[in-house]
Amino acid sequence: MKAEQQEDAAPAGLDGEAVAAAPHVRQAVEIRGLWKQFGERIAVSGIDLDIPAGQFVGLVGPNGAGKTTTLSMVTGLLRPDSGTVRIVGHDVWRDPVAVKSRIGVLPEGLRLFERLSGRELLTYMGALRGLPDEETERRASQLLDVLDLGSAQHKLVIDYSTGMRKKIGLATALLHNPEVLFLDEPFEGVDPVSAQTIRGVLERYTNSGATVVFSSHVMELVESLCDWVAVLATGKIRARGSLDEVRGDAPSLQDAFLELVGAGGRAGSGDSLDWLDGGGAR
Amino acid sequence: MSGTSHPPHAAGAAEPAGPVGAAGPAAPTQHPHGTGTADLPRPPADPAPPAAPATAPTAIFVRLKLALLRNGLRQSTGRKAVFVTAIVLALLFGVLQLLGLLLLRGHEHVEAVVLPVAALLALGWAVMPLFFPGGDETLDPTRLAMLPLRPRSMVVALLSASLVGIGPVFTLLLLCGAVLAVAHGTPSVVVALLALPLALLTCLALARAVATANIRLLTSRKGRDLAVLSGLLIAIGAQFLNIGMQKLAEPDGLSVLEPAAEVLRWLPPSSAVSAVHSTAEGSYAPALAQLAISAAALAGALWWWQRTLRRLMTSPDASTLPAAEEAPKPRRRVAGLAALLPAGRTGAVMERTLRYAWRDPKTKVGWASGLGVGILLPVVMAIQGNASPYQSCWAAGLLGVQLYNQFGQDSSGFWLVASTTASARDAYVELRARMLAVALVAVPYVTAITVTSAFLTGSPGMLPEVLGLALGLLGVLLATGVASSVYAPYSIPQESGKNVAPGQGSLAAISILLGMLAGAVLCAPLIAAIVWLRTTGAHELLWLVLPFGVGYGFVACVLALRLFAPRLVTRLPEVLTAVTRG
């Protein structure tokens, strides 16, 4: 009982803080000194990042850069060793009630309640989110329809294809109309048709003023979708800002990215692989 | 033996003998050349080129099977030891059974024993492929679909290959025992020589036909789900077998089997064994009919197998099919129940927990063993002469532990729970709903078993105290289950047959052991109350144990929820990490 009272008391104080912070610049996410270590390996080494609200934000980086770890910590699914994260002014770890109702998450790997059908999963999530039954039903039907899952709504999620899983995952993340949506590799392994569907839904969602933060290592995709980009490599932020700022003079985001993570021209130069000319001889 | 074993294909089977012997030393590379027939040492043996491919497969498949067996010995030392031990035990068991059946020779009920043996063997062969789909790779004909083979030659080849292995040898030993136990005189020995291969091949053909007909199921998710249940069915089946054996061991117990034998006498493959008995008794006409029934069954199984093979190999690959044949139908199995559940998070979580108990194979095994063993143990104990209404506490104990490691049962779907659990209230409602779902099944079940056993053991007077103890135990275990779920979560891998992720085995074992111990300690007041009331002779007050037990269990649950729900909120990321492993 005691703990519940504390929980109830906490938001009020923090809300006051948030209101005080709000007038400056509207930030969707504020990350300060975020640090995570797994044994010897440092996955995220002191990230400071402010993500502007109402934008389509791309978090890009090579495999193992710490994107998933960062997103897990930001969404409260992984405890950081140190550092703070605030989402629309609320501290993720001190004020989970305010944060969890305001964010939607689509984690990587995406294991869901596989033995529920798509519709059952949405109904269940709606109840966990405290939505009224009729409202859940209405939203679930629309989401299933828009995401082209209508014909598969009574199939168990375990029998879904990768694209369908990403779409039902997106539906569960959108069901409670969050202010900020975090998506970890939402387009990985997704067929072009599903990808276009997901894209359409996300664009419509950001147009309404919400924030989407998604991670990817497909630069063309990030370039075509995002307004704002943060480049992550070896657990640190290498660049941040609007797409144009990060791209700079480079011809494409891909080139700017390779330059930033220090991989530019590695394959094309030097005398390694000098035997590789297709000549066939030894 | 395989020479006599192919009556329908005698002509086809005789030919391969030559090329097989010749191709033997030349190893599998011979196969591609075999279809060409140009550079074989003895090509003139078969003048018709189209027949040549039909001769090769039998040898190839037998060699493949031998290679698979041999490779069983090429594993790590531990697995090799298991493999060898399994072979030795199977052979030893088979030989002992053979000797046991031989000892029955001349017993008045001997036929009543050997016929069920043959029937059980056939049943085992027919059911086995459904539970061990990965057991025999040569069982999967879809792997052979790309080879230029005709169904008929494949049937011959695969049937010959399936004669190689521990299972067939074991079956052969038992069938030998069966026919030898009933064979008396030369004519019956002759019939036995016919009946033996007939029965063995019927078993094998049945297994192959069932496997082929169900290959779509076996390679699908549903098939894998079914396989997870196999261990449980075998364990429970073994218990029933055990009970049956004890019944049979009683004086004149074998006569119980007589009615079954009456029927089995005319059912293949037992009819083949019965034919030997009939011949020994001089009734030749029934013997002939019985042999004919078995032969017809073998032919039927082979025909069915060949037909499904043809269909399988000329239709699209199984892996592409589910997408096409899906028929979207609303799943409304628990709809009636759902309407009765409370609204909001409580109802949704209860509904999902109950759905998982039915749909998730590993959760289902947990529930089914709790429910099954809970009722089985009192029965077994009663048969062994230890009947007591207190045996119904088994059901309470086994169902109580269903609440252990709740979040591990979610697997990493738990992140959905974690991302919607923000306050201690959320955690409280979540844990309470899961507890209610378990109690919804466990309380009526335990009550029913307790009431039934109290009346069946003729001690209805003990009902209040036993029910009080059983429900108290259930409540205490549910309470400790909440603690274990919050403090000792571990991952249950979805795919593999294991129930604990590597590295978390000791955690799982310790949490369950500690939970059981805590459960026992927490039940001490109840047990003490019963003992005290009994020793002081205050039997008329024993009924008080019922309200005391129920109240005790209830209070334990409420306290556990109040105490541990706030802890869960603060531990969410740690629980998520623990259950996401593997």
PDB file of all heavy atoms in Angstrom, chain A residues 230-252:
ATOM      1  N   ALA A 230      20.327  10.996 -35.856  1.00  0.00           N
ATOM      2  CA  ALA A 230      21.456  10.878 -34.931  1.00  0.00           C
ATOM      3  C   ALA A 230      22.269   9.662 -35.351  1.00  0.00           C
ATOM      4  O   ALA A 230      21.703   8.596 -35.619  1.00  0.00           O
ATOM      5  CB  ALA A 230      20.954  10.709 -33.500  1.00  0.00           C
ATOM      6  N   VAL A 231      23.589   9.858 -35.446  1.00  0.00           N
ATOM      7  CA  VAL A 231      24.446   8.756 -35.871  1.00  0.00           C
ATOM      8  C   VAL A 231      25.144   8.181 -34.645  1.00  0.00           C
ATOM      9  O   VAL A 231      25.796   8.907 -33.890  1.00  0.00           O
ATOM     10  CB  VAL A 231      25.493   9.226 -36.907  1.00  0.00           C
ATOM     11  CG1 VAL A 231      26.377   8.059 -37.335  1.00  0.00           C
ATOM     12  CG2 VAL A 231      24.803   9.841 -38.111  1.00  0.00           C
ATOM     13  N   LEU A 232      25.000   6.877 -34.464  1.00  0.00           N
ATOM     14  CA  LEU A 232      25.546   6.208 -33.294  1.00  0.00           C
ATOM     15  C   LEU A 232      26.589   5.204 -33.770  1.00  0.00           C
ATOM     16  O   LEU A 232      26.355   4.450 -34.708  1.00  0.00           O
ATOM     17  CB  LEU A 232      24.396   5.473 -32.585  1.00  0.00           C
ATOM     18  CG  LEU A 232      24.607   4.913 -31.202  1.00  0.00           C
ATOM     19  CD1 LEU A 232      24.899   6.035 -30.219  1.00  0.00           C
ATOM     20  CD2 LEU A 232      23.361   4.161 -30.755  1.00  0.00           C
ATOM     21  N   ALA A 233      27.777   5.231 -33.137  1.00  0.00           N
ATOM     22  CA  ALA A 233      28.775   4.202 -33.440  1.00  0.00           C
ATOM     23  C   ALA A 233      29.577   3.930 -32.190  1.00  0.00           C
ATOM     24  O   ALA A 233      29.885   4.854 -31.426  1.00  0.00           O
ATOM     25  CB  ALA A 233      29.687   4.668 -34.574  1.00  0.00           C
ATOM     26  N   THR A 234      29.903   2.674 -31.965  1.00  0.00           N
ATOM     27  CA  THR A 234      30.604   2.196 -30.764  1.00  0.00           C
ATOM     28  C   THR A 234      30.103   2.880 -29.486  1.00  0.00           C
ATOM     29  O   THR A 234      30.894   3.367 -28.676  1.00  0.00           O
ATOM     30  CB  THR A 234      32.137   2.388 -30.900  1.00  0.00           C
ATOM     31  OG1 THR A 234      32.414   3.765 -31.155  1.00  0.00           O
ATOM     32  CG2 THR A 234      32.697   1.544 -32.006  1.00  0.00           C
ATOM     33  N   GLY A 235      28.806   2.935 -29.345  1.00  0.00           N
ATOM     34  CA  GLY A 235      28.215   3.419 -28.101  1.00  0.00           C
ATOM     35  C   GLY A 235      28.255   4.916 -27.904  1.00  0.00           C
ATOM     36  O   GLY A 235      27.981   5.403 -26.808  1.00  0.00           O
ATOM     37  N   LYS A 236      28.634   5.670 -28.931  1.00  0.00           N
ATOM     38  CA  LYS A 236      28.676   7.134 -28.788  1.00  0.00           C
ATOM     39  C   LYS A 236      27.917   7.799 -29.937  1.00  0.00           C
ATOM     40  O   LYS A 236      27.828   7.250 -31.029  1.00  0.00           O
ATOM     41  CB  LYS A 236      30.131   7.626 -28.848  1.00  0.00           C
ATOM     42  CG  LYS A 236      30.968   7.273 -27.635  1.00  0.00           C
ATOM     43  CD  LYS A 236      32.237   8.129 -27.665  1.00  0.00           C
ATOM     44  CE  LYS A 236      33.107   7.862 -26.436  1.00  0.00           C
ATOM     45  NZ  LYS A 236      33.841   6.591 -26.535  1.00  0.00           N
ATOM     46  N   ILE A 237      27.411   9.015 -29.673  1.00  0.00           N
ATOM     47  CA  ILE A 237      26.755   9.780 -30.727  1.00  0.00           C
ATOM     48  C   ILE A 237      27.840  10.474 -31.551  1.00  0.00           C
ATOM     49  O   ILE A 237      28.673  11.210 -31.017  1.00  0.00           O
ATOM     50  CB  ILE A 237      25.804  10.835 -30.125  1.00  0.00           C
ATOM     51  CG1 ILE A 237      24.667  10.152 -29.352  1.00  0.00           C
ATOM     52  CG2 ILE A 237      25.261  11.751 -31.204  1.00  0.00           C
ATOM     53  CD1 ILE A 237      23.645   9.471 -30.203  1.00  0.00           C
ATOM     54  N   ARG A 238      27.859  10.229 -32.845  1.00  0.00           N
ATOM     55  CA  ARG A 238      28.886  10.823 -33.702  1.00  0.00           C
ATOM     56  C   ARG A 238      28.403  12.094 -34.383  1.00  0.00           C
ATOM     57  O   ARG A 238      29.192  12.957 -34.739  1.00  0.00           O
ATOM     58  CB  ARG A 238      29.339   9.813 -34.780  1.00  0.00           C
ATOM     59  CG  ARG A 238      29.995   8.581 -34.202  1.00  0.00           C
ATOM     60  CD  ARG A 238      31.229   8.990 -33.411  1.00  0.00           C
ATOM     61  NE  ARG A 238      31.683   7.902 -32.562  1.00  0.00           N
ATOM     62  CZ  ARG A 238      32.683   7.091 -32.888  1.00  0.00           C
ATOM     63  NH1 ARG A 238      33.319   7.259 -34.026  1.00  0.00           N
ATOM     64  NH2 ARG A 238      33.026   6.115 -32.091  1.00  0.00           N
ATOM     65  N   ALA A 239      27.097  12.168 -34.621  1.00  0.00           N
ATOM     66  CA  ALA A 239      26.544  13.367 -35.253  1.00  0.00           C
ATOM     67  C   ALA A 239      25.064  13.422 -34.967  1.00  0.00           C
ATOM     68  O   ALA A 239      24.445  12.391 -34.683  1.00  0.00           O
ATOM     69  CB  ALA A 239      26.778  13.323 -36.757  1.00  0.00           C
ATOM     70  N   ARG A 240      24.505  14.600 -35.008  1.00  0.00           N
ATOM     71  CA  ARG A 240      23.064  14.742 -34.796  1.00  0.00           C
ATOM     72  C   ARG A 240      22.599  16.006 -35.486  1.00  0.00           C
ATOM     73  O   ARG A 240      23.414  16.901 -35.731  1.00  0.00           O
ATOM     74  CB  ARG A 240      22.761  14.813 -33.309  1.00  0.00           C
ATOM     75  CG  ARG A 240      23.045  16.192 -32.722  1.00  0.00           C
ATOM     76  CD  ARG A 240      23.113  16.184 -31.238  1.00  0.00           C
ATOM     77  NE  ARG A 240      24.319  15.555 -30.763  1.00  0.00           N
ATOM     78  CZ  ARG A 240      24.556  15.275 -29.481  1.00  0.00           C
ATOM     79  NH1 ARG A 240      23.645  15.520 -28.582  1.00  0.00           N
ATOM     80  NH2 ARG A 240      25.676  14.743 -29.113  1.00  0.00           N
ATOM     81  N   GLY A 241      21.340  16.079 -35.769  1.00  0.00           N
ATOM     82  CA  GLY A 241      20.811  17.284 -36.378  1.00  0.00           C
ATOM     83  C   GLY A 241      19.872  16.949 -37.512  1.00  0.00           C
ATOM     84  O   GLY A 241      19.526  15.782 -37.728  1.00  0.00           O
ATOM     85  N   SER A 242      19.450  17.992 -38.232  1.00  0.00           N
ATOM     86  CA  SER A 242      18.553  17.743 -39.345  1.00  0.00           C
ATOM     87  C   SER A 242      19.309  16.965 -40.419  1.00  0.00           C
ATOM     88  O   SER A 242      20.535  16.909 -40.414  1.00  0.00           O
ATOM     89  CB  SER A 242      18.047  19.065 -39.919  1.00  0.00           C
ATOM     90  OG  SER A 242      19.123  19.710 -40.558  1.00  0.00           O
ATOM     91  N   LEU A 243      18.561  16.388 -41.297  1.00  0.00           N
ATOM     92  CA  LEU A 243      19.155  15.553 -42.335  1.00  0.00           C
ATOM     93  C   LEU A 243      20.239  16.317 -43.094  1.00  0.00           C
ATOM     94  O   LEU A 243      21.342  15.801 -43.326  1.00  0.00           O
ATOM     95  CB  LEU A 243      18.042  15.101 -43.284  1.00  0.00           C
ATOM     96  CG  LEU A 243      18.338  13.903 -44.172  1.00  0.00           C
ATOM     97  CD1 LEU A 243      18.705  12.689 -43.340  1.00  0.00           C
ATOM     98  CD2 LEU A 243      17.115  13.585 -45.027  1.00  0.00           C
ATOM     99  N   ASP A 244      19.944  17.550 -43.446  1.00  0.00           N
ATOM    100  CA  ASP A 244      20.915  18.350 -44.210  1.00  0.00           C
ATOM    101  C   ASP A 244      22.183  18.611 -43.408  1.00  0.00           C
ATOM    102  O   ASP A 244      23.288  18.553 -43.941  1.00  0.00           O
ATOM    103  CB  ASP A 244      20.281  19.674 -44.632  1.00  0.00           C
ATOM    104  CG  ASP A 244      19.218  19.459 -45.690  1.00  0.00           C
ATOM    105  OD1 ASP A 244      19.344  18.441 -46.418  1.00  0.00           O
ATOM    106  OD2 ASP A 244      18.269  20.261 -45.766  1.00  0.00           O
ATOM    107  N   GLU A 245      21.995  18.909 -42.125  1.00  0.00           N
ATOM    108  CA  GLU A 245      23.169  19.188 -41.286  1.00  0.00           C
ATOM    109  C   GLU A 245      24.092  17.971 -41.205  1.00  0.00           C
ATOM    110  O   GLU A 245      25.302  18.085 -41.304  1.00  0.00           O
ATOM    111  CB  GLU A 245      22.721  19.561 -39.866  1.00  0.00           C
ATOM    112  CG  GLU A 245      22.145  20.967 -39.748  1.00  0.00           C
ATOM    113  CD  GLU A 245      21.410  21.179 -38.431  1.00  0.00           C
ATOM    114  OE1 GLU A 245      21.557  20.337 -37.522  1.00  0.00           O
ATOM    115  OE2 GLU A 245      20.677  22.166 -38.337  1.00  0.00           O
ATOM    116  N   VAL A 246      23.491  16.809 -40.991  1.00  0.00           N
ATOM    117  CA  VAL A 246      24.313  15.601 -40.854  1.00  0.00           C
ATOM    118  C   VAL A 246      24.941  15.219 -42.179  1.00  0.00           C
ATOM    119  O   VAL A 246      26.097  14.825 -42.253  1.00  0.00           O
ATOM    120  CB  VAL A 246      23.460  14.440 -40.299  1.00  0.00           C
ATOM    121  CG1 VAL A 246      24.224  13.128 -40.341  1.00  0.00           C
ATOM    122  CG2 VAL A 246      23.017  14.745 -38.879  1.00  0.00           C
ATOM    123  N   ARG A 247      24.212  15.411 -43.248  1.00  0.00           N
ATOM    124  CA  ARG A 247      24.722  15.035 -44.565  1.00  0.00           C
ATOM    125  C   ARG A 247      25.872  15.955 -44.963  1.00  0.00           C
ATOM    126  O   ARG A 247      26.844  15.523 -45.552  1.00  0.00           O
ATOM    127  CB  ARG A 247      23.589  15.077 -45.589  1.00  0.00           C
ATOM    128  CG  ARG A 247      23.936  14.422 -46.899  1.00  0.00           C
ATOM    129  CD  ARG A 247      22.695  14.098 -47.674  1.00  0.00           C
ATOM    130  NE  ARG A 247      21.694  15.179 -47.596  1.00  0.00           N
ATOM    131  CZ  ARG A 247      20.401  15.019 -47.841  1.00  0.00           C
ATOM    132  NH1 ARG A 247      19.944  13.846 -48.185  1.00  0.00           N
ATOM    133  NH2 ARG A 247      19.561  16.031 -47.761  1.00  0.00           N
ATOM    134  N   GLY A 248      25.750  17.234 -44.622  1.00  0.00           N
ATOM    135  CA  GLY A 248      26.810  18.194 -44.932  1.00  0.00           C
ATOM    136  C   GLY A 248      27.083  18.271 -46.423  1.00  0.00           C
ATOM    137  O   GLY A 248      26.152  18.353 -47.229  1.00  0.00           O
ATOM    138  N   ASP A 249      28.365  18.171 -46.792  1.00  0.00           N
ATOM    139  CA  ASP A 249      28.739  18.283 -48.211  1.00  0.00           C
ATOM    140  C   ASP A 249      28.718  16.939 -48.922  1.00  0.00           C
ATOM    141  O   ASP A 249      28.916  16.877 -50.132  1.00  0.00           O
ATOM    142  CB  ASP A 249      30.156  18.873 -48.327  1.00  0.00           C
ATOM    143  CG  ASP A 249      30.236  20.224 -47.642  1.00  0.00           C
ATOM    144  OD1 ASP A 249      29.197  20.916 -47.631  1.00  0.00           O
ATOM    145  OD2 ASP A 249      31.315  20.561 -47.115  1.00  0.00           O
ATOM    146  N   ALA A 250      28.544  15.889 -48.137  1.00  0.00           N
ATOM    147  CA  ALA A 250      28.587  14.563 -48.755  1.00  0.00           C
ATOM    148  C   ALA A 250      27.429  14.408 -49.736  1.00  0.00           C
ATOM    149  O   ALA A 250      26.364  14.989 -49.551  1.00  0.00           O
ATOM    150  CB  ALA A 250      28.509  13.494 -47.674  1.00  0.00           C
ATOM    151  N   PRO A 251      27.649  13.609 -50.811  1.00  0.00           N
ATOM    152  CA  PRO A 251      26.594  13.451 -51.810  1.00  0.00           C
ATOM    153  C   PRO A 251      25.364  12.727 -51.258  1.00  0.00           C
ATOM    154  O   PRO A 251      24.252  12.977 -51.725  1.00  0.00           O
ATOM    155  CB  PRO A 251      27.265  12.627 -52.915  1.00  0.00           C
ATOM    156  CG  PRO A 251      28.489  12.034 -52.300  1.00  0.00           C
ATOM    157  CD  PRO A 251      28.904  12.938 -51.192  1.00  0.00           C
ATOM    158  N   SER A 252      25.550  11.825 -50.325  1.00  0.00           N
ATOM    159  CA  SER A 252      24.382  11.129 -49.763  1.00  0.00           C
ATOM    160  C   SER A 252      24.622  10.865 -48.288  1.00  0.00           C
ATOM    161  O   SER A 252      25.752  10.966 -47.796  1.00  0.00           O
ATOM    162  CB  SER A 252      24.148   9.797 -50.495  1.00  0.00           C
ATOM    163  OG  SER A 252      25.160   8.895 -50.128  1.00  0.00           O
TER     164      SER A 252
END
